[in-house]
Amino acid sequence: QVQLVESGGGLVQAGGSLRLSCAASGRTFSGYGVGWFRQAPGKEREFVAAINWRGEYTYYADSVKGRFTISRDNAKNTVYLQMNSLKPEDTAVYYCARNAARSPYYSVGSYDYWGQGTQVTVSS
């Protein structure tokens, strides 16, 4: 089993920032694209951001463009999601996932392993 562990979530006021981390066991992320998704109660899991295996291509949902930045450090087997200018509507459980070499990058079906999620709560 591939182990992915998210961290960095918490409670923050609107306008604040958080940086989420997704650590993979071993060298799991090397050679794989990684995505961040989020899910709020009563809502579908939605795409947030993705990064290809080399890190030179990044993709963002329209709702987070200009505010969130995805990056990766393959030497540390870690993918990050820097979240700035947070809004209450960003409140959700955030998951990282490893891409299964499938398309499209924004679809949950393209990912084969998921972390346990980390809660992000943005207060107004």
Side-chain angles (χ1 to χ4, degrees):
Q1 294 290 327
V2 176
Q3 298 293 132
L4 309 178
V5 180
E6 301 96 335
S7 62
L11 176 64
V12 65
Q13 292 186 348
S17 298
L18 287 172
R19 188 175 78 158
L20 306 183
S21 298
C22 175
S25 61
R27 298 179 60 83
T28 305
F29 282 163
S30 297
Y32 295 90
V34 175
W36 283 97
F37 292 77
R38 65 188 183 186
Q39 188 166 25
K43 297 182 179 180
E44 291 187 346
R45 189 172 301 181
E46 67 173 343
F47 169 75
V48 176
I51 188 167
N52 80 306
W53 73 276
R54 292 183 61 183
E56 73 268 47
Y57 301 113
T58 57
Y59 312 90
Y60 299 94
D62 289 342
S63 59
V64 306
K65 285 181 179 177
R67 300 188 299 119
F68 291 10
T69 302
I70 187 171
S71 62
R72 68 188 302 164
D73 186 341
N74 286 337
K76 297 181 179 180
N77 296 314
T78 302
V79 174
Y80 305 96
L81 185 68
Q82 178 67 46
M83 305 186 295
N84 298 326
S85 301
L86 283 162
K87 304 174 181 179
E89 51 263 44
D90 295 319
T91 296
V93 177
Y94 283 70
Y95 301 89
C96 69
R98 190 188 77 171
N99 194 282
R102 303 188 186 106
S103 296
Y105 62 84
Y106 54 81
S107 174
V108 297
S110 297
Y111 297 81
D112 57 356
Y113 290 97
W114 297 77
Q116 84 289 347
T118 185
Q119 177 71 49
V120 172
T121 302
V122 184
S123 62
S124 60

